[in-house]
């Protein structure tokens, strides 16, 4: 898979909190996905079919990760983007869980799990990549609000 190298320039996240702090700040479902690398069920998240213009932030730390300009309809049940907002906003890890070889996408600032990156699926996007991201990992800030 032709994926970007780990774009995190440091080995540690810039937002560091204890497990107790994360549990206090996040709902149980947010914690399960963001801190334990869980996945929400397809077609259930608030952003899978959203076309609102704006910036998608990490729900855990508020870092800007994706924009609506790179969001596309993949019909997979999760929000899909063909690129992150900028280089270094996300980092990539090899994920061999569930009997598959995948690329996990994490927030570079707080190391929260966002979703997975897939390539070569034929969507016709500029990068031929699909960042399949859990809605619960994101918070959309409307273009009008920013």
């Amino acid at each position: 898979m032709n994926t970007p190298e780990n774009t995190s320039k440091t080995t540690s996240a810039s937002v560091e909190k204890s497990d107790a702090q994360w549990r206090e700040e996040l709902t149980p479902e947010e914690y399960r996905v963001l801190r334990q690398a869980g996945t929400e069920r397809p077609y259930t998240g608030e952003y899978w079919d959203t076309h609102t213009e704006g910036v998608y932030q990490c729900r855990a730390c508020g870092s800007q990760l994706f924009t609506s300009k790179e969001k596309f309809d993949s019909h997979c049940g999760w929000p899909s983007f063909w690129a992150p907002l900028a280089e270094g906003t996300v980092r990539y890890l090899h994920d061999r869980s569930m009997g598959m070889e995948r690329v996990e996408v994490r927030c570079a600032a707080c190391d929260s799990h966002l979703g997975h990156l897939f390539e070569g699926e034929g969507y016709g996007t500029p990068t031929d990549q699909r960042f399949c991201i859990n809605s619960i990992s994101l918070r959309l800030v409307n273009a009008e609000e920013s």
Side-chain angles (χ1 to χ4, degrees):
M1 185 177 270
N2 184 21
T3 58
E5 302 259 341
N6 183 334
T7 58
S8 178
K9 302 297 182 212
T10 61
T11 56
S12 63
S14 60
V15 176
E16 295 184 24
K17 297 181 182 183
S18 69
D19 187 61
Q21 287 173 300
W22 285 121
R23 286 183 185 273
E24 187 176 307
E25 292 177 18
L26 301 171
T27 68
E29 185 63 8
E30 289 169 347
Y31 181 85
R32 185 184 72 78
V33 174
L34 288 157
R35 306 310 303 168
Q36 297 180 317
T39 301
E40 65 190 0
R41 291 181 306 129
Y43 305 102
T44 62
E46 74 180 296
Y47 301 126
W48 77 270
D49 195 28
T50 297
H51 296 88
T52 304
E53 288 186 29
V55 175
Y56 290 86
Q57 299 177 337
C58 175
R59 191 174 295 246
C61 73
S63 293
Q64 295 184 347
L65 303 171
F66 301 94
T67 74
S68 57
K69 294 175 186 168
E70 291 82 27
K71 190 172 188 286
F72 70 100
D73 291 327
S74 67
H75 308 287
C76 70
W78 292 276
S80 296
F81 304 87
W82 51 265
L85 173 76
E87 186 175 327
T89 59
V90 298
R91 66 187 204 98
Y92 307 90
L93 299 173
H94 290 284
D95 178 0
R96 293 180 179 88
S97 66
M98 303 182 74
M100 294 183 257
E101 182 95 15
R102 302 182 292 178
V103 175
E104 180 183 2
V105 179
R106 290 184 166 255
C107 174
C110 71
D111 200 39
S112 287
H113 173 77
L114 303 172
H116 289 89
L117 170 62
F118 301 97
E119 286 190 295
E121 297 177 313
Y123 283 106
T125 60
T127 60
D128 198 25
Q129 295 180 325
R130 176 172 60 96
F131 287 77
C132 183
I133 307 298
N134 292 287
S135 286
I136 202 164
S137 297
L138 303 171
R139 178 169 290 115
L140 174 60
V141 177
N142 295 343
E144 299 168 359
E145 296 173 17
S146 52

